[in-house]
C-alpha cells in the first residue's frame, strides 16, 4: 500500500495531546493536531486509544486522508473504524487512494460499498481495479500498481524528456521507465538516470537495460519480497504469461508484505489466531487466544501425570522436586531458539530436503555440546548443594538428553508443518514447550529412579 508523500510535522505524544484536547471538548484543537500528522501517525494514534475515544477522534480526521489511515491501521482496528463510516464517507476515502490501495481496502468492505466505489470510478480506473482484483491477494498481481510509465525503444531520449515534462507528475517510487513493444510486451527498463545523463540524440534501445528482474502475475508475494531484499530493488515489473506488462511493484508495498509476515510470525509463535485490537472486548480476546491455551492445558496435564508416575521417587529424594524444573526450563528455551532459526530459514526459502540432513546433524551436535557443558555445570552445582555424586551425574545426563530432544523437536516440528502445507510458526513454541516439559520430567525422574533409588 502506498502512503502519499506529504510534508507533515511529526509531533511527540500525539495521543496525550489529542486526549487532553478531547477531554476539554476543544474539538478544533483536536482537528488541528490531526491536520499536522502524517496518516501513519494518525493510524498509530487511533490504535493506541480505546474505542470510546477513538471514534470521536476518527470523526474529525480529514476525509481526504481517511483512506490512507485505514490502510495503515491494523485489520482489527480498520474493521472497527469502517463500522463508524457511512457509504458516502467510504467512497470519498477510497477515491483519494491509488488503484492498488483501493484493492487492499475492498476485502474489508460490504458489497454495497464496493458497488458505490466502482460506480464513482471512471471506466479506465474500474478496468485497472478489476485487473488487480483478478489476482489473489498474496501474489505479485494482487500486489502490483497498474500506474506505469512506458516508452518505445525506437524513440530518442529527447522525445522521452519532452514526454515526461508534458506528463508533469510521475507515479511514486518511479526510478525507471518500462520499454515495451507495440503489443505491450516488456523489452527492458530505462532508468531515469540514463534519461538525464545520456546524449539526447541516443535512442532508447541503445541505453535500455534488457537484463531485468520481473515477476509473473502469479508469483507469491514472499518470493517478490525476497527478490526485493536480495537485489535492493525499488520497483519491478509484473508481466502476464505472454510477457505483456501488467503493472509494477514498488518497495513500499514490499515493506508492507515483510512487516505483515513478521507480525504474523510473531503471533503464530505465540499461538494467537489473529492480530487483535489492543482494546478489543474481553470476549473477542478470549476467542483469539483460547485454542492454543486449551492445547497447553492438555500438555500441562500430561506433564503433571509424568511427575505423578514418579511420585514415590520424589518422596524419597526431595531434591528431585527442586532440580527437575531446571532441566525442563533449559530444554524449552533451547528448543525455542532452534524453532526460531528454522522458521526463519523456511520463510527465506533456505531449507530443502537436500540440506535438511546436514542441518539436523549440526543441531544435534550443538545440543550435545551445550548439554554436556551446561549439564556438567548444573551437575557441579547439584554436588555442591547435596553432596551426592549420583545426583550430579543424573543432572548432567538429563540435561544433555533433554537438549537433544529439544533439538530434534525444534527442527522437526516446523519442518513437518511446512512439508504438509501448514504454517511452520503456528503454535510451534507451545508444542516445543510441551515436549521439553514432559520429556524433561520423564528423562530426569526416570534416570533418578534408575540410579538413585
Amino acid at each position: 500500500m502506498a502512503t502519499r508523500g506529504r510534508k507533515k510535522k511529526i509531533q511527540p505524544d500525539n495521543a496525550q495531546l489529542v486526549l487532553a484536547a478531547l477531554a476539554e471538548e476543544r474539538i478544533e484543537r483536536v482537528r488541528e493536531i490531526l491536520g499536522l500528522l502524517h496518516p501513519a501517525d494518525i493510524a498509530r494514534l487511533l490504535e493506541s486509544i480505546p474505542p470510546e475515544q477513538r471514534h470521536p477522534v476518527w470523526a474529525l480526521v480529514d476525509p481526504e486522508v481517511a483512506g490512507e489511515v485505514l490502510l495503515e491501521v491494523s485489520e482489527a482496528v480498520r474493521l472497527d473504524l469502517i463500522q463508524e463510516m457511512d457509504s458516502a464517507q467510504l467512497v470519498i476515502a477510497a477515491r483519494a487512494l491509488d488503484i492498488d490501495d483501493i484493492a487492499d481496502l475492498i476485502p474489508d468492505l460490504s458489497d454495497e460499498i464496493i458497488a458505490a466505489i466502482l460506480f464513482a470510478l471512471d471506466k479506465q480506473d474500474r478496468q485497472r481495479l478489476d485487473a488487480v482484483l483478478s489476482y489473489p491477494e498474496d501474489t505479485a498481481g494482487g500486489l502490483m500498481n497498474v500506474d506505469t510509465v512506458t516508452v518505445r525503444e525506437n524513440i530518442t531520449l529527447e522525445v522521452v524528456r519532452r514526454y515526461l515534462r508534458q506528463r508533469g507528475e510521475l507515479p511514486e517510487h518511479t526510478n525507471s521507465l518500462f520499454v515495451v513493444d507495440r503489443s505491450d510486451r516488456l523489452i527492458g527498463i530505462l532508468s531515469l538516470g540514463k534519461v538525464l545523463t545520456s546524449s539526447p540524440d541516443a535512442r532508447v534501445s541503445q541505453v535500455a537495460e534488457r537484463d531485468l528482474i520481473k515477476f509473473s502475475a502469479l508469483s507469491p508475494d514472499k518470493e517478490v519480497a525476497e527478490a526485493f531484499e536480495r537485489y535492493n530493488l525499488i520497483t519491478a515489473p509484473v508481466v502476464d504469461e505472454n510477457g505483456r506488462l501488467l503493472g509494477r511493484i514498488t518497495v513500499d508495498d514490499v515493506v508492507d508484505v515483510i512487516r505483515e509476515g513478521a507480525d504474523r510470525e510473531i503471533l503464530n509463535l505465540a499461538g494467537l489466531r489473529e492480530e487483535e485490537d489492543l482494546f478489543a472486548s474481553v470476549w473477542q480476546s478470549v476467542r483469539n487466544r483460547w485454542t492454543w491455551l486449551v492445547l497447553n492445558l492438555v500438555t500441562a496435564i500430561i506433564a503433571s501425570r509424568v511427575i505423578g508416575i514418579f511420585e514415590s521417587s520424589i518422596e524419597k529424594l526431595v531434591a528431585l522436586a527442586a532440580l527437575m524444573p531446571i532441566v525442563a526450563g533449559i530444554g524449552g528455551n533451547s528448543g525455542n531458539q532452534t524453532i526460531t532459526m528454522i522458521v526463519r530459514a523456511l520463510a527465506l526459502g533456505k531449507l530443502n530436503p537436500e540440506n535438511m540432513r546436514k542441518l539436523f546433524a549440526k543441531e544435534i551436535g550443538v545440543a550435545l555440546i551445550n548439554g554436556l557443558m551446561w549439564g556438567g555445570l548444573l551437575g557441579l552445582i547439584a554436588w555442591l548443594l547435596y553432596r551426592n555424586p549420583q545426583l550430579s551425574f543424573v543432572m548432567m545426563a538429563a540435561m544433555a538428553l533433554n537438549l537433544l530432544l529439544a533439538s530434534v523437536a525444534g527442527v522437526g516440528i516446523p519442518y513437518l508443518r511446512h512439508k504438509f502445507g501448514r504454517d511452520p510458526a503456528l503454535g510451534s513454541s507451545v508444542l516445543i514447550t510441551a515436549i521439553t516439559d514432559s520429556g524433561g520430567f520423564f528423562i530426569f525422574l526416570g534416570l533418578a529412579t534408575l540410579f538413585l533409588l
Side-chain angles (χ1 to χ4, degrees), residues 211-222:
D211 184 17
L212 71 160
I213 296 171
K214 58 187 177 182
F215 299 101
S216 159
L218 294 177
S219 298
D221 57 0
K222 289 183 180 180

Side-chain angles (χ1 to χ4, degrees), residues 136-164:
E137 186 180 2
D138 58 352
T139 63
L143 197 63
M144 69 180 178
N145 187 333
V146 293
D147 191 5
T148 59
V149 182
T150 60
V151 295
R152 299 281 170 78
E153 63 177 340
N154 59 343
I155 61 175
T156 65
L157 295 185
E158 178 58 33
V159 174
V160 174
R161 293 178 186 177
R162 287 203 305 267
Y163 166 66
L164 294 179

